[in-house]
């Protein structure tokens, strides 16, 4: 279980890096101030998810391992593509959390099962948000005024 939780530490750290890269990319695009804040905020949240796991592993008598990270995707052909990547990424994270829940159940590790409930709920929220952004961008298409409103309002979509 410890090994699997450490793999999740890596996944959350990679998520943080991926959103950091999206933030850096959007920061140099014209008119994406809100989106940029959104990506940076999400990168911080993923770091918090990583730390929460790390502390849990250590508190339970294990050792939380700081993993080496791969360079994430740095540039995107459009904002829509960046959000498609974000959704794809979150779906992978959800799958990984579900696998951990499965393992905790099989190993009768009820403390970890209980701990993982927070991540299960968090993933539901993250998927909802990512889908909402993708749906909106699909509707907006190339409409510049739509994109303006998307950028202006994106932080209000994020209830976390
Ligand atoms: Fe912590 Fe967005 O997965």
């Amino acid at each position: 279980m410890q090994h699997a939780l450490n793999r999740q530490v890596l996944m959350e750290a990679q998520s943080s890096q991926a959103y950091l890269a999206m933030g850096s990319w959007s920061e140099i695009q014209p008119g994406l101030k809100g989106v940029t804040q959104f990506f940076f905020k999400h990168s911080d949240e993923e770091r918090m998810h990583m730390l929460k796991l790390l502390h849990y592993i250590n508190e339970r008598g294990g050792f939380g391992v700081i993993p080496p990270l791969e360079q994430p995707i740095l540039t995107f052909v459009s904002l829509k593509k960046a959000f498609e990547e974000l959704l794809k990424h979150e779906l992978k994270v959800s799958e990984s959390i579900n696998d951990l829940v499965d393992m905790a159940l099989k190993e009768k590790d009820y403390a970890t099962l209980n701990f993982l409930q927070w991540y299960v709920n968090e993933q539901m929220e993250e998927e909802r948000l990512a889908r909402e952004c993708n749906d909106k961008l699909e509707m907006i298409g190339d409409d510049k005024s739509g994109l303006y409103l998307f950028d202006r309002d994106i932080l209000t979509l994020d209830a976390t």
Side-chain angles (χ1 to χ4, degrees), residues 8 12 15 19 42 45-46 49 89-90 93 119 122-123 126:
Q8 192 64 31
E12 302 291 345
S15 305
Y19 303 156
H42 264 257
E45 280 174 13
E46 298 300 349
H49 299 171
H89 196 86
E90 288 304 330
V93 174
Y119 286 85
E122 181 67 15
Q123 279 315 115
E126 301 239 311

Side-chain angles (χ1 to χ4, degrees), residues 2 16 37 54 84 106 115 139-140:
Q2 181 183 180
S16 180
Q37 269 188 59
L54 206 68
E84 281 171 12
K106 281 191 187 116
F115 169 76
M139 249 171 19
I140 290 166

Side-chain angles (χ1 to χ4, degrees), residues 131-142:
R131 284 206 177 87
E132 201 175 331
C133 289
N134 273 278
D135 290 347
K136 281 185 191 296
L137 287 167
E138 178 70 41
M139 249 171 19
I140 290 166
D142 291 329

Side-chain angles (χ1 to χ4, degrees), residues 4 18-19 25 35 39 60 64 74 78 80 83 85 109 138 148 155:
Y19 303 156
W25 169 79
V35 167
F39 285 140
R60 300 278 301 160
L74 299 178
S78 65
K80 190 163 178 303
F83 272 96
E85 275 304 318
D109 182 349
E138 178 70 41
Y148 169 82
L155 292 171

